[in-house]
Amino acid sequence: MHPSSFCMEKKAMAEVVLDGLEIRSMEEVHDLFAPLLPRWYGRNLDALFDCLTDLREPVTIRLLHQEALEKGLGRRGRALALLLRRAAAENPRVALLWK
């Protein structure tokens, strides 16, 4: 069984708010997602993508102040924004809203 298939077991998906004015590190990003994902979530961008694209329960991700997030986190912030768009395009259960 592929490790990412375990990401489908966690229910109760709701909403994650990523506010670029408040987030200072990728650790904080992973802290926001971790409670909604399986305990074996790898806390890296590859694992996040795998979990989001395997979700069977809906989740809304609100990306606020994207420019500030990308500025504060640099290339990782840009990679995160792209990852979220790709995950939402691949999995209709992932709704990405951004301002």
Side-chain angles (χ1 to χ4, degrees):
M1 181 180 288
H2 190 275
S4 67
S5 64
F6 290 112
C7 296
M8 297 183 289
E9 292 181 11
K10 187 79 175 188
K11 304 285 186 213
M13 300 305 274
E15 181 176 79
V16 175
V17 178
L18 302 173
D19 187 340
L21 296 177
E22 297 179 6
I23 294 173
R24 302 287 181 245
S25 70
M26 285 304 295
E27 277 303 309
E28 290 179 36
V29 170
H30 294 300
D31 288 346
L32 291 169
F33 279 102
L36 302 175
L37 300 175
R39 67 181 175 272
W40 47 83
Y41 162 55
R43 297 179 67 89
N44 62 64
L45 292 179
D46 289 335
L48 180 59
F49 183 77
D50 289 343
C51 286
L52 291 176
T53 56
D54 282 347
L55 286 177
R56 293 186 182 215
E57 297 295 323
V59 63
T60 298
I61 302 168
R62 295 186 187 278
L63 180 56
L64 308 175
H65 306 105
Q66 179 180 340
E67 300 82 19
L69 181 80
E70 291 180 8
K71 182 178 179 183
L73 299 180
R75 67 178 181 82
R76 288 190 177 147
R78 290 184 294 278
L80 173 64
L82 178 60
L83 175 150
L84 295 174
R85 285 190 177 87
R86 288 181 48 222
E90 189 167 318
N91 186 345
R93 293 174 189 93
V94 175
L96 176 62
L97 308 173
W98 69 91
K99 290 184 180 182

